[in-house]
Amino acid sequence: MKTNFPVKAFAKLETPFYYYDVELLKKTLDTVRNEAAKHTGFHVHYAVKANFNPRLLDIIAATGLGADCVSGGEVAAALKAGVPASKIVFAGVGKTDKEIASSLDAGIFCFNVESVPEIEAINSLAAERGVVAQVAIRVNPNIGAHTHANITTGLAENKFGINYEQLDDVIDTIESKSNVKLTGLHFHIGSQILVMDDFIALCGRVNELQTMLNEKRGIVLPHINVGGGLGIRYDAPDKFNIPDFELYFATYAKHLKLYPGQQVHFELGRSIVAQCGSLITRATYIKKGTCKQFIIVDAGMNDLVRPALYSAYHRIENLSSCRADEVYDVVGPVCESSDVFCKDRKIPATLRGDIMAIRSAGAYGEAMAFGYNCRPIPQSILSSDIE
Ligand code: LLP
């Protein structure tokens, strides 16, 4: 039985709900900030897509991190939380005119651009306003990260980024326009990456590209944005509750070859918020099948879609039981066969009404929730809400 959850308080609450350990979030944020600060010119933007719960965003913004946004809604949420516009980057393949216009009006730091028509749209909207928009080209480094196929992004076949062969033309386009200014290069190779070699490979590509741009076109850009992607240990959320940010930043510091004064930007999402969050649920029924037994919980795939969507592993703990283990499938109530959190997992013998924690749900849990089957989005409870 886990004791680091306020189980007595949970017993009085309606389930399911997202539970966030504020102390752990703050410790994680302090670690990120302190480790990044060891290297001159390193800037961290929190990837809002991982979790845009306003109360968490307030805490994150208060530590001084910037924001990495992928929609006008995220830019608005970051601004509302108090992230200065000068620390907001806006990425995404499909920015609409409305989203570009509001971001220009807010005066965000940079648009990470992914196509020629997008550059044209930003240029004309900036011209209408009499401003010059800073843009970074999102370059597709064509690196396959060691992660799930659905969350690699840096391959030529992915919809993201601009391929090497097209780079010259894209730079020509930007240089020919008066209301966009090329200030950086942006990369992102994928998410949930635990192998530092993938980031080292990215550094190699960045170095190559910088040399090429410098030798061929005399270009040295002030900003290099290496994206996010640092993974977390889903298998051991307590032992590895704070990711190894020291190693992560040191890896970039060692392998990136920077020109004098160049600034390095990071867009970290999962590594900042995943471990502080759990989805708390109750066992509604224990169902014995002919060859399996199921714990049917009151949370479903619409509250945490990662297992259904990516076959992702999340630790599941019974907070009410210290009985001997049995083997279960833990499933939700949604009318979909994929509404399964885990299969054939050893979990302490579970009874109807037991409270369970689905761990490491702080990133891409609440943020990806949806209302299928008329199910309400669960409430969120912060540890600071509980006496
Ligand atoms: N920057 C860009 C351009 C991105 O596309 C992403 C994530 C990030 C930063 C943040 O990556 P992180 O540090 O969180 O790995 N829903 C999936 C993950 C999708 C990630 C999408 N892009 C999941 O639940 O695993």
Side-chain angles (χ1 to χ4, degrees):
M1 185 158 24
K2 304 292 296 183
T3 49
N4 54 346
F5 282 105
V7 186
K8 274 198 189 139
F10 285 1
K12 296 189 201 121
L13 297 169
E14 190 181 332
T15 48
F17 60 88
Y18 302 103
Y19 175 72
Y20 297 108
D21 179 340
V22 172
E23 203 186 317
L24 177 58
L25 174 62
K26 287 186 174 166
K27 262 196 205 160
T28 309
L29 288 164
D30 283 347
T31 311
V32 173
R33 206 186 33 196
N34 296 340
E35 292 302 330
K38 287 184 183 166
H39 309 281
T40 318
F42 277 23
H43 307 270
V44 179
H45 304 259
Y46 166 64
V48 175
K49 65 177 82 68
N51 194 320
F52 51 87
N53 181 307
R55 292 202 293 162
L56 299 193
L57 281 185
D58 285 350
I59 296 171
I60 294 166
T63 61
L65 262 55
D68 158 39
C69 302
V70 289
S71 71
E74 287 191 359
V75 172
L79 289 168
K80 189 153 183 254
V83 178
S86 61
K87 289 187 179 178
I88 295 180
V89 295
F90 183 8
V93 292
K95 302 176 191 80
T96 63
D97 286 6
K98 191 175 165 200
E99 291 174 315
I100 295 169
S102 55
S103 302
L104 286 169
D105 292 339
I108 64 161
F109 167 60
C110 188
F111 292 84
N112 295 334
V113 295
E114 310 214 15
S115 68
V116 168
E118 181 196 336
I119 293 162
E120 285 163 351
I122 296 173
N123 185 65
S124 66
L125 289 160
E128 278 171 22
R129 289 166 172 71
V131 296
V132 175
Q134 300 208 97
V135 301
I137 299 177
R138 177 165 178 178
V139 180
N140 189 340
N142 205 12
I143 291 175
H146 295 92
T147 185
H148 190 281
N150 288 15
I151 51 178
T152 69
T153 45
L155 288 173
E157 68 199 43
N158 294 132
K159 70 178 174 183
F160 300 104
I162 284 168
N163 294 337
Y164 275 40
E165 310 84 68
Q166 301 167 305
L167 208 53
D168 261 325
D169 287 349
V170 173
I171 295 176
D172 289 342
T173 306
I174 297 173
E175 287 182 344
S176 71
K177 312 240 175 268
S178 322
N179 296 85
V180 282
K181 183 173 184 341
L182 180 61
T183 56
L185 297 172
H186 174 232
F187 305 82
H188 177 75
I189 53 173
S191 199
Q192 183 51 18
I193 297 169
L194 288 165
V195 181
M196 288 301 127
D197 285 354
D198 289 344
F199 297 123
I200 295 173
L202 173 61
C203 291
R205 286 294 160 84
V206 176
N207 298 342
E208 259 168 48
L209 192 61
Q210 290 234 74
T211 308
M212 200 255 287
L213 288 179
N214 189 11
E215 284 174 359
K216 207 167 141 198
R217 308 188 57 135
I219 293 179
V220 176
L221 296 167
H223 301 285
I224 301 295
N225 181 334
V226 292
L230 177 62
I232 61 132
R233 290 287 298 269
Y234 283 96
D235 59 324
D238 291 317
K239 187 163 175 211
F240 300 102
N241 59 356
I242 299 181
D244 195 346
F245 293 109
E246 182 179 6
L247 176 65
Y248 174 74
F249 290 120
T251 300
Y252 277 103
K254 181 168 173 205
H255 295 275
L256 265 187
K257 284 195 207 125
L258 297 173
Y259 290 87
Q262 270 189 329
Q263 307 291 300
V264 185
H265 298 258
F266 298 86
E267 302 173 339
L268 294 172
R270 184 187 323 260
S271 51
I272 293 178
V273 287
Q275 297 295 34
C276 76
S278 297
L279 175 59
I280 306 298
T281 181
R282 267 193 182 82
T284 310
Y285 299 112
I286 314 303
K287 173 173 170 173
K288 304 220 187 255
T290 47
C291 55
K292 288 230 177 217
Q293 55 177 353
F294 300 93
I295 302 173
I296 302 170
V297 293
D298 59 6
M301 63 190 286
N302 40 11
D303 308 314
L304 177 67
V305 75
R306 303 191 70 259
L309 197 55
Y310 316 118
S311 309
Y313 175 94
H314 284 258
R315 253 187 82 80
I316 300 183
E317 290 161 4
N318 184 328
L319 304 184
S320 310
S321 167
C322 44
R323 304 167 204 113
D325 282 350
E326 293 194 22
V327 177
Y328 298 98
D329 285 12
V330 178
V331 303
V334 175
C335 288
E336 292 284 335
S337 309
S338 53
D339 185 23
V340 174
F341 289 113
C342 68
K343 286 191 171 166
D344 300 323
R345 187 85 64 85
K346 278 191 190 158
I347 293 174
T350 298
L351 302 177
R352 172 171 160 82
D354 280 358
I355 296 176
M356 328 264 301
I358 308 181
R359 304 292 308 273
S360 313
Y364 307 110
E366 184 174 4
M368 293 177 81
F370 54 102
Y372 186 42
N373 287 184
C374 261
R375 290 170 51 80
I377 306 289
Q379 61 170 334
S380 58
I381 310 271
L382 272 54
S383 52
S384 50
D385 297 333
I386 292 175
E387 295 301 300

